[in-house]
Amino acid sequence: MAPVAEPVLEPATPEQVAGPALAEVTSPHHGSAPEARLELEPLAPTAAPGTGTADGHDGGHAWTTAEASQAYSPYAAPVAAATGYYAPQAAGEVVLAGFWKRVAAYLIDSVIVGVAGTLVGMVLALFALPLALSDDSGAATAIMHLGVQLFSILLTAVYYAAFHASRGGATPGKMAIGIKVVRTDGSRISLLRGIGRYFATILSSLILCIGYLMAAFTQRKQALHDMVCDTLVVDKWAFTEHPEWQRRELGTLTIVVLVLGGLLVVGALVALVAMIGVIASLAA
């Protein structure tokens, strides 16, 4: 019986190892018949944790991939089309302004608008007083009161719209509390949108102020006028280069304003009850 030939295994040559991903080699057992072989390329090494971060921080944090940075988050700042100094940034978390911060800012703005409106009304009344005294029918007096009311509404609308459309996006009250008004994409609102937002607040007031209360329960803390005008009220550092400076807590000034406002409301209620008691005693 003839001895069986032992198969001889030849090592792969350097050309075969460094060749293309799919190469044809000769099998020692089947003559010159080609045999397909798949060469797998090694994966590129990943960056070690602690050597740096994709968001610009030093070591101590894991790298973030492009896929992870594009993952959906309801609190992630969306990319806006605006450019220039106030172009919103698409990185970082967005802290929405809570209901009580908005109340505190509204109280401050109400005091400012009230004082300014009273002063302007007094000036207009001084100019219109001679005309009202010379008219016995009372028509001039009625026109004067109507003009003062219309001017007060116009002054308030311009106040809120101009400040909300400014670069800071905030009225003096909102500046003091540290919040601002932006579009839902983080961009700055226009003057016309600011005027529309003010008149939309009237709609929020007409339904027993439920439109205002919606800011405490909606997912994005939007009041009814925010939904109508496609706006958000956020922390002043939202959509900026420093989103880490945003604050979730109320802050000392917010608490002080809320306490003072609460005391004024309680005092007004006590005065109203006392007045009703006096009137009832006089009628008896």
Side-chain angles (χ1 to χ4, degrees):
M1 179 180 298
V4 179
E6 295 290 338
V8 179
L9 301 179
E10 299 180 355
T13 63
E15 291 77 14
Q16 294 173 344
V17 174
L22 185 63
E24 292 185 354
V25 297
T26 303
S27 171
H29 306 293
H30 299 84
S32 61
E35 178 184 3
R37 184 174 66 186
L38 182 65
E39 297 285 347
L40 298 179
E41 298 180 359
L43 295 175
T46 58
T51 58
T53 61
D55 55 0
H57 292 77
D58 293 332
H61 302 279
W63 284 79
T64 57
T65 63
E67 291 79 2
S69 63
Q70 296 175 358
Y72 170 76
S73 171
Y75 303 104
V79 178
T83 58
Y85 178 84
Y86 196 72
Q89 306 296 316
E93 184 182 14
V94 175
V95 176
L96 301 170
F99 176 76
W100 293 113
K101 283 187 176 182
R102 298 178 64 155
V103 170
Y106 178 77
L107 292 175
I108 296 175
D109 288 326
S110 297
V111 172
I112 296 175
V113 172
V115 172
T118 301
L119 294 177
V120 172
M122 292 174 60
V123 173
L124 292 177
L126 290 176
F127 283 101
L129 185 59
L131 179 61
L133 293 176
S134 63
D135 186 12
D136 297 333
S137 63
T141 304
I143 294 175
M144 181 187 69
H145 285 294
L146 179 61
V148 170
Q149 292 299 324
L150 291 177
F151 186 83
S152 176
I153 294 175
L154 178 62
L155 177 65
T156 307
V158 171
Y159 171 86
Y160 282 100
F163 277 113
H164 286 159
S166 64
R167 188 176 67 179
T171 58
K174 288 183 174 65
M175 292 179 192
I177 301 301
I179 58 179
K180 63 183 178 181
V181 176
V182 296
R183 293 287 302 276
T184 52
D185 62 355
S187 61
R188 177 176 170 181
I189 72 172
S190 64
L191 181 62
L192 290 178
R193 187 176 296 272
I195 294 175
R197 187 178 185 273
Y198 168 74
F199 286 105
T201 59
I202 299 177
L203 178 61
S204 297
S205 303
L206 290 177
I207 53 176
L208 303 177
C209 294
I210 295 177
Y212 288 102
L213 294 175
M214 290 173 61
F217 306 105
T218 53
Q219 180 180 6
R220 306 183 75 179
K221 300 187 183 300
Q222 288 177 297
L224 179 60
H225 47 275
D226 290 315
M227 295 180 179
V228 171
C229 298
D230 188 43
T231 57
L232 290 174
V233 183
V234 297
D235 187 271
K236 67 178 181 179
W237 292 108
F239 301 104
T240 66
E241 296 179 353
H242 299 284
E244 69 277 5
W245 291 353
Q246 298 178 91
R247 297 174 57 186
R248 295 184 178 276
E249 64 274 9
L250 290 178
T252 304
L253 180 59
T254 303
I255 296 175
V256 170
V257 172
L258 291 175
V259 170
L260 293 177
L263 293 176
L264 289 176
V265 171
V266 172
L269 291 176
V270 171
L272 178 62
V273 171
M275 185 181 299
I276 294 175
V278 171
I279 295 174
S281 63
L282 292 177

